Amino acid sequence: MAICKAEALVIRKFDFRETSIIVEFFTREFGRLKGILKGIRSNPKKFGSTLEPFSCNEIVFYRSRNSEIHLVSQCDLRDNFLEIRSDLKKINLASFFMELTSALLAPEDKHEEVFELALSCLKDMSLAADPARIINIAQIKLLKLSGFKPHFDSCVLCDSKIDEYAKFSTAFGGLLCFKCAYRDSNRHAVLKGTVASIRHIEKSDWQNSQRLGLSPLVKEELDMMLNRFVLFHLEKKLKTARFI
Ligand SMILES: [Zn+2]
């Protein structure tokens, strides 16, 4: 067993036996992994963190080759994101984003860009007046980085350029042109502004994408499309989605 150190966001935690907890972390160095913290419930001061969901911690753990659950020997809190924790809407959004990240990434598959995205998203959400907007932008970036990118550059089936006529197919995962639209009876119309916003967010870095203005109509459509897309392609309903 190798001793490893990692910067780790808490995705979720649950009690294990009488005194321990098992935590699912998203780490910068190793991706998503599970760790057991023995004795933390009988002696909370044994570790330097209470491991609240979406808190950022520094952990030291023994990396097991034979088990998917690793033994965490040290854990120190870096940021508890108190501004998020004092606002129920922000708590639900942050929990949803962590759960989505967990659902999209394979276990123990390092993805530093996604880790940076999650950290930026939590930091900016702490002080944001409109946290849902930040989650929309982060969701578009997360889908792209994790390879689930909906296709918005051209028709997803025949690759022809799309101008005025834009229909979105959740099942095919992208826009359909006039000729291909009949292939999905559940297609729905998309505003040009929504398509332009998604393209802009995909191409911009995090800071620049935050400057993009989203009209209420575009925001509403983005919300609906992203949730439908994620639900369809993950083939399961994210438990936290219903609170948003
Ligand atoms: Zn087409």
Side-chain angles (χ1 to χ4, degrees), residues 123-169:
K123 280 179 186 164
D124 286 3
M125 217 166 67
S126 296
L127 304 171
D130 183 4
R133 183 176 172 282
I134 291 183
I135 290 293
N136 279 151
I137 293 170
Q139 231 178 319
I140 291 168
K141 292 202 163 294
L142 176 61
L143 288 171
K144 186 181 178 196
L145 290 170
S146 59
F148 279 82
K149 179 186 180 308
H151 191 93
F152 282 101
D153 305 322
S154 56
C155 173
V156 67
L157 294 178
C158 74
D159 203 31
S160 63
K161 195 167 176 282
I162 291 186
D163 297 317
E164 290 303 312
Y165 184 95
K167 301 275 183 188
F168 185 76
S169 163

Side-chain angles (χ1 to χ4, degrees), residues 166-168 175 186-192 194 221 224-225 228:
K167 301 275 183 188
F168 185 76
L175 293 179
N186 291 319
R187 68 191 180 271
H188 56 89
V190 194
L191 296 168
K192 271 177 88 175
T194 304
E221 194 170 72
M224 184 197 69
M225 280 175 67
R228 272 196 206 170

Side-chain angles (χ1 to χ4, degrees), residues 205-216:
D205 62 20
W206 177 256
Q207 292 306 330
N208 279 325
S209 62
Q210 296 303 316
R211 294 191 192 109
L212 176 72
L214 296 175
S215 74

Side-chain angles (χ1 to χ4, degrees), residues 15 49 79 105 163 179 200 222 234:
D15 291 347
S49 171
D79 196 338
L105 299 181
D163 297 317
K179 284 181 188 163
H200 179 84
L222 263 183
L234 289 178

